[in-house]
Coordinates of all heavy atoms in Angstrom, one line a residue:
M1 N 30.6 19.3 85.9 CA 30.7 20.5 85.2 C 30.9 20.3 83.7 O 31.6 19.4 83.3 CB 31.9 21.3 85.8 CG 32.1 22.6 85.1 SD 33.5 23.6 85.9 CE 32.7 23.8 87.5
K2 N 30.3 21.1 82.9 CA 30.4 20.9 81.5 C 31.8 21.2 81.0 O 32.5 22.1 81.5 CB 29.4 22.0 80.9 CG 29.1 21.7 79.4 CD 28.0 22.6 79.0 CE 27.7 22.4 77.5 NZ 26.7 23.3 77.0
K3 N 32.3 20.3 80.0 CA 33.7 20.4 79.6 C 33.9 21.3 78.4 O 34.9 21.4 77.8 CB 34.2 19.0 79.3 CG 34.4 18.1 80.5 CD 35.1 16.9 80.2 CE 35.4 16.2 81.5 NZ 36.2 14.9 81.3
D4 N 32.8 22.0 78.0 CA 32.9 22.9 76.8 C 33.9 24.0 77.1 O 33.7 24.8 78.1 CB 31.5 23.5 76.5 CG 31.5 24.3 75.2 OD1 32.6 24.7 74.7 OD2 30.4 24.5 74.7
E5 N 35.0 24.1 76.3 CA 36.0 25.2 76.6 C 35.5 26.6 76.4 O 36.0 27.5 77.0 CB 37.2 25.0 75.6 CG 38.1 23.8 75.9 CD 39.1 23.6 74.9 OE1 39.3 24.5 74.1 OE2 39.8 22.6 75.0
N6 N 34.4 26.7 75.7 CA 33.8 28.0 75.5 C 32.9 28.6 76.6 O 32.5 29.7 76.6 CB 33.0 28.1 74.2 CG 33.9 27.7 73.0 OD1 35.0 28.3 72.9 ND2 33.5 26.9 72.1
V7 N 32.6 27.7 77.6 CA 31.8 28.1 78.7 C 32.6 29.0 79.6 O 33.7 28.6 80.1 CB 31.3 26.8 79.5 CG1 30.5 27.3 80.7 CG2 30.4 26.0 78.6
K8 N 32.2 30.1 79.9 CA 32.8 31.1 80.8 C 32.1 31.1 82.1 O 30.9 31.2 82.2 CB 32.8 32.5 80.2 CG 33.4 32.6 78.8 CD 34.9 32.4 78.8 CE 35.4 32.6 77.4 NZ 36.6 32.0 77.1
L9 N 33.0 30.9 83.2 CA 32.4 30.9 84.5 C 32.6 32.3 85.1 O 33.6 33.0 84.9 CB 33.1 29.9 85.4 CG 33.0 28.4 85.1 CD1 33.8 27.6 86.1 CD2 31.5 28.0 85.2
T10 N 31.6 32.7 85.9 CA 31.9 33.9 86.7 C 32.6 33.5 88.0 O 32.7 32.3 88.3 CB 30.5 34.5 87.1 OG1 29.9 33.6 88.0 CG2 29.6 34.8 85.9
A11 N 33.2 34.5 88.6 CA 33.9 34.2 89.9 C 33.0 33.5 90.9 O 33.5 32.6 91.6 CB 34.5 35.5 90.4
A12 N 31.8 33.9 90.9 CA 30.8 33.3 91.9 C 30.6 31.8 91.6 O 30.3 31.0 92.5 CB 29.6 34.1 92.0
Q13 N 30.7 31.4 90.3 CA 30.4 30.0 89.9 C 31.6 29.1 90.1 O 31.5 27.9 90.2 CB 30.0 30.0 88.4 CG 28.6 30.6 88.2 CD 28.3 30.7 86.8 OE1 29.1 31.2 86.0 NE2 27.1 30.3 86.4
A14 N 32.9 29.7 90.2 CA 34.0 28.9 90.3 C 34.1 28.3 91.7 O 33.6 28.8 92.7 CB 35.3 29.8 90.0
A15 N 34.8 27.1 91.8 CA 34.9 26.4 93.0 C 35.8 27.2 94.0 O 36.7 28.0 93.5 CB 35.5 25.0 92.8
I16 N 35.7 27.1 95.2 CA 36.5 27.7 96.2 C 37.9 27.3 96.0 O 38.3 26.1 95.7 CB 36.1 27.3 97.7 CG1 34.7 27.9 97.9 CG2 37.1 27.8 98.7 CD1 34.1 27.4 99.2
G17 N 38.8 28.3 95.9 CA 40.2 28.0 95.6 C 40.5 28.1 94.2 O 41.7 28.0 93.7
G18 N 39.5 28.3 93.3 CA 39.7 28.5 91.9 C 39.9 27.2 91.2 O 40.3 27.2 90.0
L19 N 39.8 26.0 91.8 CA 40.0 24.7 91.1 C 38.7 24.4 90.4 O 37.7 24.1 90.9 CB 40.3 23.7 92.2 CG 40.6 22.3 91.6 CD1 41.9 22.3 90.8 CD2 40.7 21.3 92.7
V20 N 38.8 24.6 89.1 CA 37.6 24.4 88.2 C 37.4 22.9 87.9 O 36.3 22.4 88.1 CB 37.8 25.2 86.9 CG1 36.6 24.9 86.0 CG2 37.9 26.7 87.2
E21 N 38.5 22.2 87.6 CA 38.4 20.8 87.3 C 39.7 20.2 87.4 O 40.7 20.7 86.8 CB 37.8 20.6 85.8 CG 37.5 19.1 85.6 CD 36.9 18.9 84.2 OE1 36.7 19.9 83.5 OE2 36.7 17.8 83.8
A22 N 39.8 19.1 88.2 CA 41.1 18.5 88.4 C 41.3 17.3 87.4 O 40.3 16.8 86.9 CB 41.2 17.9 89.8
G23 N 42.5 16.8 87.3 CA 42.8 15.6 86.5 C 42.6 15.8 85.0 O 42.3 14.8 84.3
T24 N 42.7 17.0 84.5 CA 42.5 17.2 83.0 C 43.8 17.0 82.2 O 43.8 17.0 81.0 CB 42.0 18.6 82.8 OG1 42.9 19.6 83.3 CG2 40.6 18.8 83.4
G25 N 45.0 16.9 82.9 CA 46.3 16.9 82.3 C 46.4 15.8 81.2 O 47.0 16.0 80.2
E26 N 45.8 14.7 81.5 CA 45.9 13.5 80.6 C 45.3 13.8 79.2 O 45.7 13.2 78.2 CB 45.2 12.3 81.2 CG 45.7 11.0 80.5 CD 45.2 9.8 81.3 OE1 44.6 9.9 82.4 OE2 45.5 8.7 80.8
A27 N 44.3 14.7 79.2 CA 43.7 15.0 77.9 C 44.5 15.9 77.0 O 44.2 16.0 75.8 CB 42.3 15.7 78.2
F28 N 45.5 16.6 77.5 CA 46.3 17.5 76.7 C 47.7 16.8 76.4 O 48.4 16.5 77.3 CB 46.5 18.8 77.4 CG 45.2 19.5 77.6 CD1 44.5 19.4 78.9 CD2 44.5 20.2 76.7 CE1 43.3 20.0 79.1 CE2 43.3 20.8 76.9 CZ 42.7 20.7 78.1
H29 N 48.0 16.7 75.1 CA 49.3 16.1 74.8 C 50.4 17.2 74.7 O 50.7 17.7 73.7 CB 49.1 15.4 73.4 CG 48.3 14.1 73.5 ND1 48.1 13.3 72.5 CD2 47.7 13.6 74.6 CE1 47.3 12.2 72.9 NE2 47.1 12.4 74.2
T30 N 50.9 17.4 75.9 CA 51.9 18.4 76.0 C 53.3 18.0 75.4 O 54.2 18.9 75.5 CB 52.1 18.8 77.5 OG1 52.3 17.6 78.2 CG2 50.9 19.5 78.0
G31 N 53.4 16.8 74.9 CA 54.7 16.4 74.3 C 55.1 17.3 73.1 O 56.3 17.3 72.8
S32 N 54.1 17.9 72.5 CA 54.5 18.8 71.4 C 55.3 20.0 71.8 O 55.8 20.7 70.9 CB 53.2 19.2 70.7 OG 52.4 20.0 71.6
W33 N 55.4 20.2 73.1 CA 56.2 21.4 73.6 C 57.7 21.1 73.5 O 58.5 22.0 73.6 CB 55.8 21.8 75.0 CG 54.4 22.1 75.3 CD1 53.4 22.1 74.3 CD2 53.8 22.5 76.5 NE1 52.2 22.5 74.9 CE2 52.5 22.7 76.3 CE3 54.3 22.6 77.8 CZ2 51.6 23.1 77.3 CZ3 53.5 23.0 78.8 CH2 52.2 23.2 78.6
R34 N 58.1 19.8 73.4 CA 59.5 19.4 73.6 C 60.4 20.0 72.5 O 60.1 20.0 71.3 CB 59.6 17.9 73.5 CG 59.5 17.2 74.8 CD 59.9 15.7 74.6 NE 59.5 15.1 73.4 CZ 58.4 14.5 73.3 NH1 57.5 14.3 74.3 NH2 58.0 13.9 72.1
S35 N 61.6 20.3 72.9 CA 62.7 20.6 71.9 C 63.7 19.4 72.0 O 64.4 19.2 71.1 CB 63.4 21.9 72.2 OG 63.9 22.0 73.5
D36 N 63.8 18.8 73.2 CA 64.6 17.6 73.4 C 63.8 16.5 74.0 O 62.9 16.7 74.7 CB 65.8 17.9 74.3 CG 66.7 19.0 73.8 OD1 67.3 18.7 72.7 OD2 66.8 20.0 74.3
R37 N 64.2 15.2 73.7 CA 63.4 14.1 74.2 C 64.4 13.2 74.9 O 65.5 12.9 74.5 CB 62.7 13.4 73.1 CG 63.5 12.7 72.1 CD 62.8 11.6 71.3 NE 61.5 12.1 70.8 CZ 60.5 11.3 70.5 NH1 60.6 10.0 70.5 NH2 59.4 11.8 70.0
P38 N 63.8 12.6 76.0 CA 64.6 11.6 76.7 C 64.6 10.2 76.0 O 63.6 9.9 75.4 CB 63.9 11.5 78.1 CG 62.6 11.8 77.8 CD 62.6 12.8 76.7
V39 N 65.8 9.6 76.0 CA 65.9 8.3 75.3 C 66.3 7.3 76.4 O 67.3 7.5 77.1 CB 66.9 8.3 74.1 CG1 67.1 6.9 73.6 CG2 66.5 9.3 73.1
W40 N 65.5 6.3 76.5 CA 65.7 5.3 77.6 C 66.4 4.0 77.1 O 66.0 3.5 76.0 CB 64.4 4.9 78.2 CG 64.4 3.8 79.3 CD1 65.0 3.9 80.5 CD2 63.7 2.6 79.2 NE1 64.8 2.7 81.1 CE2 63.9 1.9 80.4 CE3 62.8 2.0 78.2 CZ2 63.4 0.7 80.7 CZ3 62.2 0.8 78.5 CH2 62.5 0.1 79.7
D41 N 67.4 3.5 77.7 CA 68.1 2.3 77.3 C 67.7 1.2 78.3 O 68.2 1.1 79.5 CB 69.6 2.5 77.4 CG 70.4 1.3 76.8 OD1 69.9 0.2 76.9 OD2 71.5 1.6 76.3
K42 N 66.8 0.4 77.8 CA 66.3 -0.7 78.7 C 67.4 -1.7 79.2 O 67.3 -2.1 80.4 CB 65.3 -1.6 77.8 CG 64.7 -2.7 78.5 CD 63.8 -3.5 77.6 CE 63.1 -4.7 78.4 NZ 62.3 -5.5 77.5
D43 N 68.4 -1.9 78.4 CA 69.4 -2.8 78.8 C 70.3 -2.3 80.0 O 70.9 -3.0 80.7 CB 70.3 -3.2 77.6 CG 69.5 -4.0 76.6 OD1 68.5 -4.7 77.0 OD2 69.8 -3.9 75.4
K44 N 70.4 -1.0 80.0 CA 71.2 -0.3 81.1 C 70.4 -0.1 82.4 O 71.0 0.0 83.5 CB 71.8 1.0 80.6 CG 72.9 0.9 79.6 CD 73.4 2.3 79.3 CE 74.4 2.3 78.2 NZ 74.9 3.7 77.9
C45 N 69.1 0.0 82.3 CA 68.3 0.4 83.4 C 68.3 -0.6 84.5 O 68.1 -1.8 84.3 CB 66.8 0.6 82.9 SG 65.7 1.1 84.1
I46 N 68.5 -0.1 85.7 CA 68.5 -1.0 86.9 C 67.2 -0.9 87.7 O 67.0 -1.4 88.8 CB 69.7 -0.7 87.8 CG1 69.6 0.7 88.3 CG2 71.0 -1.1 87.1 CD1 70.7 1.0 89.4
N47 N 66.2 -0.2 87.1 CA 64.9 0.0 87.8 C 64.9 0.5 89.2 O 64.2 0.1 90.1 CB 64.1 -1.4 87.7 CG 63.7 -1.7 86.4 OD1 63.0 -1.0 85.7 ND2 64.1 -2.9 85.9
C48 N 65.8 1.5 89.4 CA 65.8 2.2 90.7 C 64.7 3.2 90.9 O 64.3 3.5 92.0 CB 67.1 3.0 90.8 SG 67.3 4.4 89.7
L49 N 64.0 3.5 89.8 CA 62.8 4.3 89.7 C 63.0 5.8 90.1 O 62.1 6.6 90.4 CB 61.7 3.8 90.6 CG 61.2 2.4 90.2 CD1 60.1 1.9 91.2 CD2 60.6 2.4 88.8
T50 N 64.3 6.2 90.2 CA 64.6 7.6 90.5 C 64.0 8.5 89.4 O 63.5 9.6 89.7 CB 66.2 7.8 90.5 OG1 66.7 6.9 91.5 CG2 66.5 9.3 90.8
C51 N 64.1 8.1 88.2 CA 63.5 8.9 87.1 C 62.0 9.0 87.3 O 61.4 10.1 87.1 CB 63.8 8.3 85.7 SG 63.2 6.6 85.6
W52 N 61.4 7.9 87.7 CA 59.9 7.9 87.8 C 59.5 8.9 88.9 O 58.5 9.7 88.8 CB 59.5 6.5 88.2 CG 58.0 6.4 88.5 CD1 56.9 6.3 87.7 CD2 57.5 6.3 89.9 NE1 55.7 6.2 88.4 CE2 56.1 6.2 89.7 CE3 58.0 6.3 91.2 CZ2 55.2 6.1 90.8 CZ3 57.2 6.1 92.2 CH2 55.8 6.1 92.1
I53 N 60.2 8.8 90.0 CA 59.8 9.8 91.1 C 60.2 11.2 90.9 O 59.6 12.1 91.5 CB 60.3 9.2 92.5 CG1 59.5 9.7 93.6 CG2 61.8 9.6 92.7 CD1 59.8 9.1 95.0
S54 N 61.1 11.5 90.0 CA 61.6 12.8 89.7 C 60.8 13.5 88.6 O 60.8 14.7 88.5 CB 63.1 12.8 89.2 OG 63.9 12.2 90.2
C55 N 60.2 12.8 87.8 CA 59.5 13.3 86.6 C 58.3 14.2 87.1 O 57.3 13.7 87.7 CB 59.0 12.3 85.6 SG 58.0 13.0 84.3
P56 N 58.3 15.5 86.7 CA 57.1 16.3 87.1 C 55.9 16.1 86.4 O 54.8 16.6 86.7 CB 57.7 17.7 86.9 CG 58.7 17.6 85.8 CD 59.3 16.2 86.0
D57 N 56.0 15.3 85.3 CA 54.8 15.1 84.5 C 54.3 13.7 84.5 O 53.5 13.3 83.7 CB 55.1 15.6 83.0 CG 55.2 17.1 83.0 OD1 54.2 17.7 83.3 OD2 56.3 17.5 82.6
A58 N 54.8 12.9 85.4 CA 54.5 11.5 85.5 C 54.5 10.8 84.1 O 53.6 10.0 83.7 CB 53.1 11.3 86.1
A59 N 55.6 11.1 83.4 CA 55.7 10.6 82.0 C 56.6 9.4 81.9 O 56.9 8.9 80.8 CB 56.2 11.7 81.1
I60 N 57.1 8.8 83.0 CA 57.9 7.6 83.0 C 56.9 6.5 83.2 O 56.2 6.4 84.3 CB 59.0 7.6 84.2 CG1 59.9 8.8 84.0 CG2 59.7 6.3 84.1 CD1 60.8 8.7 82.8
K61 N 56.8 5.6 82.2 CA 55.8 4.6 82.3 C 56.4 3.4 83.1 O 57.5 3.0 82.8 CB 55.4 4.1 80.9 CG 54.7 5.3 80.1 CD 53.9 4.8 78.9 CE 54.8 4.3 77.8 NZ 54.1 4.0 76.6
T62 N 55.5 2.8 83.9 CA 56.0 1.6 84.7 C 55.0 0.5 84.6 O 53.8 0.7 84.1 CB 56.2 2.0 86.2 OG1 54.9 2.4 86.7 CG2 57.2 3.0 86.4
A63 N 55.4 -0.7 85.0 CA 54.5 -1.8 85.0 C 55.0 -2.8 86.1 O 56.0 -2.6 86.7 CB 54.5 -2.6 83.7
Q64 N 54.1 -3.7 86.5 CA 54.5 -4.7 87.5 C 55.1 -5.9 86.9 O 54.5 -6.5 85.9 CB 53.2 -5.0 88.3 CG 52.7 -3.9 89.2 CD 53.7 -3.4 90.2 OE1 54.4 -4.1 90.9 NE2 53.9 -2.0 90.2
D65 N 56.2 -6.3 87.4 CA 56.8 -7.5 86.9 C 56.8 -8.5 88.1 O 57.1 -8.2 89.2 CB 58.3 -7.2 86.5 CG 59.1 -8.5 86.1 OD1 59.5 -9.2 87.0 OD2 59.2 -8.7 84.9
E66 N 56.5 -9.8 87.8 CA 56.3 -10.8 88.8 C 57.5 -11.0 89.7 O 57.5 -11.1 90.9 CB 55.9 -12.1 88.2 CG 54.4 -12.3 88.0 CD 54.1 -13.7 87.6 OE1 54.8 -14.7 87.9 OE2 53.0 -13.9 86.9
K67 N 58.7 -10.9 89.1 CA 59.9 -11.1 89.8 C 60.6 -9.8 90.3 O 61.1 -9.8 91.4 CB 61.0 -11.9 89.0 CG 60.5 -13.3 88.6 CD 61.5 -13.9 87.7 CE 61.0 -15.3 87.3 NZ 61.8 -16.0 86.3
K68 N 60.5 -8.8 89.5 CA 61.3 -7.5 89.9 C 60.4 -6.5 90.6 O 60.9 -5.5 91.0 CB 61.8 -6.9 88.6 CG 62.9 -7.8 87.9 CD 63.3 -7.1 86.6 CE 64.2 -7.9 85.8 NZ 64.5 -7.3 84.5
G69 N 59.1 -6.7 90.6 CA 58.2 -5.6 91.2 C 58.0 -4.5 90.1 O 57.8 -4.8 88.9
T70 N 58.0 -3.3 90.5 CA 57.7 -2.2 89.6 C 58.9 -1.9 88.8 O 60.0 -1.8 89.2 CB 57.3 -0.9 90.4 OG1 56.3 -1.2 91.3 CG2 57.0 0.2 89.5
V71 N 58.7 -1.9 87.5 CA 59.8 -1.7 86.5 C 59.4 -0.6 85.5 O 58.3 -0.4 85.2 CB 60.1 -3.0 85.7 CG1 60.6 -4.1 86.7 CG2 58.9 -3.5 84.9
V72 N 60.4 0.1 85.0 CA 60.2 1.1 83.9 C 60.0 0.4 82.6 O 60.7 -0.6 82.3 CB 61.5 2.0 83.9 CG1 61.3 3.0 82.7 CG2 61.6 2.8 85.1
I73 N 59.1 0.9 81.9 CA 58.8 0.2 80.6 C 58.9 1.2 79.4 O 58.8 0.8 78.3 CB 57.4 -0.5 80.5 CG1 56.3 0.5 80.8 CG2 57.4 -1.7 81.5 CD1 54.9 0.0 80.6
G74 N 59.2 2.5 79.7 CA 59.3 3.4 78.6 C 58.9 4.8 79.1 O 58.8 5.1 80.2
I75 N 58.7 5.7 78.1 CA 58.4 7.1 78.3 C 57.1 7.4 77.6 O 57.0 7.0 76.4 CB 59.6 8.0 77.8 CG1 60.8 7.7 78.7 CG2 59.2 9.5 77.9 CD1 62.1 8.1 78.1
D76 N 56.3 8.1 78.2 CA 55.0 8.6 77.7 C 55.3 9.9 76.9 O 55.3 11.0 77.5 CB 54.0 8.8 78.8 CG 52.7 9.5 78.3 OD1 52.6 9.7 77.1 OD2 51.9 9.7 79.1
Y77 N 55.6 9.8 75.6 CA 56.0 10.9 74.8 C 54.8 11.9 74.5 O 55.0 13.0 74.1 CB 56.7 10.5 73.5 CG 58.1 9.9 73.7 CD1 58.3 8.6 73.4 CD2 59.1 10.7 74.2 CE1 59.6 8.1 73.6 CE2 60.3 10.2 74.3 CZ 60.6 8.9 74.1 OH 61.9 8.4 74.2
D78 N 53.6 11.4 74.8 CA 52.4 12.3 74.6 C 52.4 13.4 75.7 O 51.9 14.5 75.5 CB 51.1 11.6 74.7 CG 50.8 10.8 73.5 OD1 51.4 11.2 72.4 OD2 50.0 9.9 73.5
H79 N 53.1 13.1 76.9 CA 53.0 14.0 78.0 C 54.4 14.5 78.5 O 54.4 15.5 79.3 CB 52.2 13.4 79.2 CG 50.8 13.1 78.8 ND1 50.4 11.9 78.4 CD2 49.7 13.9 78.7 CE1 49.1 11.9 78.1 NE2 48.7 13.2 78.3
C80 N 55.5 13.9 78.1 CA 56.8 14.3 78.4 C 57.1 15.7 77.8 O 56.9 15.8 76.6 CB 57.8 13.3 77.9 SG 59.5 13.9 77.9
K81 N 57.5 16.7 78.6 CA 57.8 18.0 78.1 C 59.2 18.2 77.7 O 59.7 19.3 77.4 CB 57.3 19.1 79.1 CG 55.8 19.1 79.3 CD 55.4 20.4 80.0 CE 54.0 20.3 80.4 NZ 53.8 19.7 81.8
G82 N 60.1 17.2 78.0 CA 61.5 17.3 77.7 C 62.3 18.1 78.6 O 63.4 18.7 78.2
C83 N 61.9 18.1 79.8 CA 62.6 19.0 80.8 C 64.1 18.4 81.1 O 64.9 19.1 81.5 CB 61.9 19.1 82.1 SG 61.7 17.5 83.0
G84 N 64.3 17.1 80.9 CA 65.6 16.5 81.2 C 65.9 16.1 82.6 O 67.0 15.6 82.8
I85 N 65.0 16.3 83.5 CA 65.2 15.9 84.9 C 65.5 14.4 85.0 O 66.4 14.0 85.7 CB 64.0 16.3 85.8 CG1 63.9 17.9 85.8 CG2 64.1 15.7 87.2 CD1 62.7 18.4 86.5
C86 N 64.7 13.6 84.3 CA 64.9 12.2 84.4 C 66.4 11.8 84.0 O 67.0 11.0 84.7 CB 63.9 11.4 83.6 SG 63.9 11.9 81.8
A87 N 66.9 12.3 82.9 CA 68.2 12.0 82.5 C 69.3 12.5 83.4 O 70.3 11.9 83.6 CB 68.4 12.6 81.1
R88 N 69.0 13.7 84.0 CA 69.9 14.2 85.0 C 70.0 13.4 86.3 O 71.0 13.3 86.9 CB 69.5 15.7 85.3 CG 70.5 16.3 86.2 CD 70.2 17.8 86.3 NE 71.1 18.4 87.3 CZ 71.5 19.6 87.2 NH1 71.1 20.4 86.3 NH2 72.3 20.1 88.2
E89 N 68.8 12.9 86.7 CA 68.7 12.1 87.9 C 69.1 10.7 87.8 O 69.4 10.0 88.8 CB 67.3 12.3 88.5 CG 67.0 13.7 89.0 CD 67.9 14.3 90.0 OE1 68.2 13.5 90.9 OE2 68.3 15.4 89.8
C90 N 69.1 10.1 86.6 CA 69.5 8.7 86.5 C 70.9 8.6 86.9 O 71.8 9.4 86.6 CB 69.4 8.3 85.0 SG 69.7 6.6 84.7
P91 N 71.2 7.6 87.8 CA 72.6 7.5 88.3 C 73.6 7.5 87.2 O 73.5 6.7 86.2 CB 72.6 6.1 89.0 CG 71.1 5.9 89.3 CD 70.3 6.5 88.3
P92 N 74.6 8.4 87.3 CA 75.6 8.5 86.3 C 76.3 7.2 85.9 O 76.6 7.0 84.7 CB 76.6 9.5 86.9 CG 75.8 10.3 87.9 CD 74.8 9.3 88.4
K93 N 76.6 6.3 86.8 CA 77.2 5.1 86.5 C 76.3 4.2 85.7 O 76.8 3.2 85.0 CB 77.6 4.3 87.8 CG 78.8 5.0 88.5 CD 79.2 4.1 89.7 CE 80.4 4.8 90.4 NZ 80.7 4.1 91.7
V94 N 75.0 4.4 85.8 CA 74.0 3.6 85.0 C 73.8 4.3 83.6 O 73.9 3.6 82.6 CB 72.7 3.4 85.7 CG1 71.7 2.6 84.9 CG2 73.0 2.8 87.1
A95 N 73.5 5.6 83.7 CA 73.3 6.4 82.5 C 72.3 5.7 81.4 O 72.6 5.5 80.3 CB 74.6 6.7 81.7
A96 N 71.2 5.3 82.0 CA 70.2 4.6 81.1 C 69.2 5.6 80.4 O 68.4 5.2 79.6 CB 69.4 3.6 82.0
L97 N 69.4 6.9 80.7 CA 68.6 7.9 80.1 C 69.5 9.0 79.6 O 70.4 9.5 80.3 CB 67.6 8.6 81.1 CG 66.3 7.8 81.3 CD1 65.7 8.3 82.6 CD2 65.3 7.9 80.2
H98 N 69.3 9.5 78.3 CA 70.0 10.7 77.8 C 69.0 11.5 77.0 O 68.0 11.0 76.5 CB 71.2 10.3 77.1 CG 71.0 9.7 75.8 ND1 70.8 8.3 75.6 CD2 70.9 10.2 74.5 CE1 70.5 8.0 74.3 NE2 70.6 9.2 73.6
M99 N 69.4 12.7 76.8 CA 68.5 13.6 76.0 C 69.0 13.7 74.6 O 70.2 13.8 74.3 CB 68.4 15.0 76.6 CG 67.9 15.0 78.1 SD 66.2 14.3 78.3 CE 65.3 15.7 77.5
E100 N 68.1 13.8 73.6 CA 68.4 14.0 72.2 C 67.5 15.1 71.6 O 66.4 15.2 72.1 CB 68.3 12.7 71.4 CG 69.3 11.6 71.6 CD 69.1 10.5 70.7 OE1 68.1 10.4 69.9 OE2 69.9 9.5 70.9
P101 N 68.0 15.8 70.6 CA 67.1 16.8 70.0 C 65.9 16.1 69.4 O 65.9 15.0 68.9 CB 68.0 17.4 68.9 CG 69.4 17.1 69.3 CD 69.4 15.8 70.0
E102 N 64.7 16.8 69.6 CA 63.5 16.3 69.1 C 63.5 16.2 67.6 O 63.9 17.2 67.0 CB 62.3 17.1 69.6 CG 61.0 16.7 69.2 CD 60.6 15.3 69.9 OE1 61.0 15.1 71.0 OE2 59.8 14.6 69.2
K103 N 63.1 15.1 67.1 CA 63.0 15.0 65.6 C 61.7 15.5 65.1 O 60.6 15.2 65.7 CB 63.2 13.6 65.2 CG 64.5 13.0 65.5 CD 64.6 11.5 65.0 CE 66.0 10.9 65.5 NZ 65.9 10.2 66.7
K104 N 61.7 16.4 64.2 CA 60.4 17.0 63.6 C 59.8 16.1 62.6 O 60.5 15.5 61.8 CB 60.7 18.4 63.1 CG 61.1 19.4 64.2 CD 60.1 19.6 65.3 CE 60.6 20.5 66.4 NZ 59.6 20.5 67.5
Ligands
LIG1 S1 62.2 14.8 80.2 FE1 61.1 15.7 82.0 S2 58.9 15.4 81.5 FE2 60.1 14.0 80.1 S3 60.1 12.0 81.1 FE3 62.0 13.2 81.7 S4 61.5 14.2 83.6 FE4 59.6 13.6 82.7
LIG2 S1 66.8 6.5 86.9 FE1 67.8 5.4 85.2 S2 68.3 3.4 86.1 FE2 66.8 4.3 87.5 S3 64.9 3.5 86.7 FE3 65.2 5.4 85.7 S4 66.2 4.9 83.7 FE4 66.3 3.1 85.1

């Protein structure tokens, strides 16, 4: 399907269920919507991955470590909307994530 935003589809041309195109989220940098941003403390993080599984925008970045397996490596600020779920779900005793006002 053509990606031109100006192309208008009729109802008959749209896919069943109204799904026009999947997987487009990566193209839109929704991080500009934030009023607060999560700040990750690498030294406190125990890599439980609770933040990763809780983030609705898949904005917790991970990588594979030979010894530790999947580890958190940071936050994708291009797509994080600043909802604060990750900071809320990080175990309180660990507190490796907290929210701060977004700097303009
Ligand atoms: S603030 Fe929300 S969107 Fe951003 S990384 Fe945390 S859970 Fe994901
Ligand atoms: S929830 Fe907290 S401790 Fe667990 S991986 Fe995320 S930042 Fe690290």
Side-chain angles (χ1 to χ4, degrees):
M1 182 173 294
K2 198 172 178 183
K3 289 191 173 182
D4 186 344
E5 289 177 8
N6 296 317
V7 173
K8 305 288 184 207
L9 293 177
T10 66
Q13 291 172 312
I16 293 172
L19 184 63
V20 176
E21 187 176 357
T24 59
E26 198 170 355
F28 298 98
H29 288 184
T30 50
S32 62
W33 300 2
R34 269 192 319 270
S35 57
D36 295 297
R37 65 163 48 202
V39 177
W40 174 62
D41 187 332
K42 180 182 180 181
D43 294 330
K44 289 183 180 176
C45 180
I46 59 173
N47 289 304
C48 67
L49 299 177
T50 303
C51 56
W52 174 79
I53 204 166
S54 302
C55 176
D57 290 302
I60 302 292
K61 297 197 291 188
T62 60
Q64 292 302 310
D65 179 277
E66 272 186 27
K67 293 178 182 169
K68 298 178 183 173
T70 305
V71 296
V72 173
I73 57 169
I75 295 161
D76 174 1
Y77 288 115
D78 283 341
H79 297 98
C80 163
K81 296 193 188 85
C83 67
I85 293 173
C86 56
R88 184 172 175 151
E89 295 301 317
C90 184
K93 287 183 180 174
V94 178
L97 280 162
H98 71 275
M99 302 299 289
E100 287 185 358
E102 182 68 31
K103 297 181 183 92
K104 297 293 177 194

